[in-house]
Amino acid sequence: MAAERLADDLLIEILSRIPLRSVCHLKCVSKDWLSLIDHPDHRRKLPQTLAGFFYTRSDNAELPMETEVRLTSVLGKNCPPIDTLFAFLPSHRRIDLLDCCNGLLLSRWYDVSALGDEFCYIVCSPAMKEWVSLPDRSHENKVGIERLGFDLTVSSHFYVFVLLEDVNFNDYLAEVEVYSSETRRWIYKEIDYPAGSTILLFLPFFGQSTALFLNGCLHFYSNGKRSPFFIGVVDTVGETSMNFHIPAHLNKGFIQHSQDCLHYAKFERGEGDVVRRVLYVLDDYDRKEWKLKHSVETSDIFGGTNVTDSDLFAIHPVDFRWVAIHPDYKLIFFTVETDSTLM
């Protein structure tokens, strides 16, 4: 009765501050609440779950960069319509998707009249059909790995990180540029480490998405010059906040944010030739202590086939690729075999 006396705007403000699963349960309160929560005008404020995956494909082996953008839905008919042709963007001859974070896309936009490979960065919301172009980077002559950071529950501003390559370290990365939509400018930082610490080299793993935005910082899969792999952290002003080891020193894993915690997935060899998929969770972020959350044999993943360590090496990473860990539910998405079937 008390809730019925609340104005819709006030009710949406309250619902925007509670977890997604609770919002989904509250759809069952009444038809009015269901209509209010599902209304398109409220998607900006209310927490949203995973709708699907953007991906690109090319039917032209000679021009692999001329790709077609597609969307695979995990919500079925409930997935909001998305314009994968990006007709709402200014005229362009090509769009290269770089990263996606909480509904925003980072891409390279090539003007129809641009010469050669001239481009500018664009951050857009395909659902809302809104976009903004970024100014040129201060160190645009340096090649880098671009990642997007955006968390509407914390701020309405987004950040673009470019981890720059350092030729002195054999194409590893040791510098960063960060763009803030709040200041509308780029900042450049050389990563500064405490005396005696191991120098970080940032390393993309087989082209997979090995970075995520969490707690206002970019977390990325990393490697020390003379140390094991670990996870590095850079904040939105380009400072190195911290770094911590991966669980059980399991190299070449997959990091994702799910159910408010950092997760790490990896295949490991067990007794004999048995290979298991293990999932660790960092449920205490401040103490940096990983706990084993789940473990399953590969025979339960690959249709009863018991994948051995040698078999796993053969299918990984060419025919196996982590895609995502669901942000709200106990689901892991991946592709396997040459036809890239999503599982």
Side-chain angles (χ1 to χ4, degrees):
M1 295 295 294
E4 291 178 357
R5 293 195 294 269
L6 294 177
D8 288 350
D9 291 345
L10 181 57
L11 186 57
I12 290 298
E13 286 295 330
I14 297 174
L15 295 179
S16 68
R17 288 166 169 78
I18 64 177
L20 170 68
R21 299 183 76 173
S22 298
V23 175
C24 293
H25 292 158
L26 290 173
K27 291 182 179 181
C28 302
V29 170
S30 66
K31 291 183 178 180
D32 290 337
W33 279 46
L34 173 63
S35 176
L36 187 70
I37 294 173
D38 282 345
H39 198 285
D41 291 344
H42 300 149
R43 288 176 183 163
R44 288 175 177 269
K45 293 185 177 181
L46 295 181
Q48 300 294 318
T49 190
L50 176 68
F53 302 106
F54 283 101
Y55 67 98
T56 58
R57 58 160 294 167
S58 175
D59 294 323
N60 191 334
E62 297 180 355
L63 296 172
M65 295 302 293
E66 295 188 2
T67 56
E68 176 186 0
V69 179
R70 296 187 179 185
L71 174 68
T72 293
S73 171
V74 297
L75 293 179
K77 295 181 180 180
N78 293 324
C79 183
I82 300 294
D83 178 15
T84 57
L85 296 176
F86 299 99
F88 60 93
L89 294 178
S91 58
H92 55 274
R93 60 182 172 89
R94 194 171 89 210
I95 292 289
D96 292 344
L97 299 186
L98 300 174
D99 199 13
C100 180
C101 186
N102 291 323
L104 294 187
L105 288 179
L106 170 65
S107 63
R108 293 175 182 169
W109 176 83
Y110 296 81
D111 191 0
V112 290
S113 60
L115 300 176
D117 288 330
E118 295 179 0
F119 68 87
C120 72
Y121 291 112
I122 279 184
V123 174
C124 68
S125 169
M128 305 305 298
K129 296 184 178 181
E130 298 175 348
W131 62 276
V132 60
S133 61
L134 277 56
D136 294 337
R137 289 167 37 206
S138 58
H139 290 68
E140 59 182 0
N141 60 317
K142 291 189 176 184
V143 179
I145 299 173
E146 303 96 335
R147 290 293 181 261
L148 178 63
F150 175 63
D151 186 352
L152 190 57
T153 62
V154 177
S155 171
S156 59
H157 296 289
F158 65 83
Y159 304 90
V160 176
F161 301 81
V162 182
L163 303 174
L164 302 176
E165 293 183 0
D166 187 341
V167 294
N168 296 323
F169 286 118
N170 192 24
D171 289 339
Y172 292 136
L173 308 170
E175 302 163 296
V176 63
E177 280 189 273
V178 183
Y179 174 83
S180 167
S181 64
E182 182 176 14
T183 63
R184 298 182 181 180
R185 65 184 183 90
W186 292 92
I187 59 172
Y188 166 80
K189 288 293 182 80
E190 294 182 356
I191 304 300
D192 185 23
Y193 302 97
S197 64
T198 303
I199 296 177
L200 279 177
L201 305 177
F202 311 108
L203 178 68
F205 174 53
F206 296 114
Q208 301 189 80
S209 178
T210 55
L212 59 93
F213 191 69
L214 176 63
N215 296 335
C217 297
L218 184 72
H219 296 63
F220 46 87
Y221 196 72
S222 316
N223 184 19
K225 189 175 182 180
R226 292 180 298 274
S227 67
F229 291 86
F230 54 91
I231 295 174
V233 183
V234 171
D235 60 22
T236 56
V237 294
E239 303 288 348
T240 301
S241 302
M242 67 188 79
N243 59 73
F244 48 93
H245 290 288
I246 59 177
H249 301 290
L250 295 172
N251 295 340
K252 300 178 181 179
F254 180 67
I255 59 173
Q256 285 275 276
H257 179 218
S258 176
Q259 297 177 316
D260 297 325
C261 295
L262 189 64
H263 284 66
Y264 188 89
K266 180 70 173 68
F267 287 98
E268 70 171 355
R269 184 174 182 175
E271 297 181 0
D273 291 331
V274 175
V275 176
R276 307 179 68 88
R277 195 273 294 138
V278 293
L279 181 68
Y280 286 83
V281 60
L282 194 72
D283 54 4
D284 191 333
Y285 185 88
D286 294 330
R287 299 180 64 181
K288 304 295 181 294
E289 294 181 355
W290 295 95
K291 292 183 179 180
L292 180 63
K293 182 177 183 179
H294 192 255
S295 177
V296 61
E297 294 186 9
T298 52
S299 59
D300 295 329
I301 301 177
F302 299 107
T305 302
N306 186 22
V307 179
T308 65
D309 193 34
S310 59
D311 294 332
L312 185 62
F313 179 79
I315 69 169
H316 189 288
V318 177
D319 295 325
F320 179 91
R321 184 179 294 268
W322 301 103
V323 175
I325 299 176
H326 199 287
D328 303 297
Y329 303 107
K330 298 178 180 179
L331 292 171
I332 294 181
F333 300 89
F334 58 92
T335 60
V336 67
E337 298 184 354
T338 55
D339 58 356
S340 297
T341 301
L342 181 66
M343 303 181 69

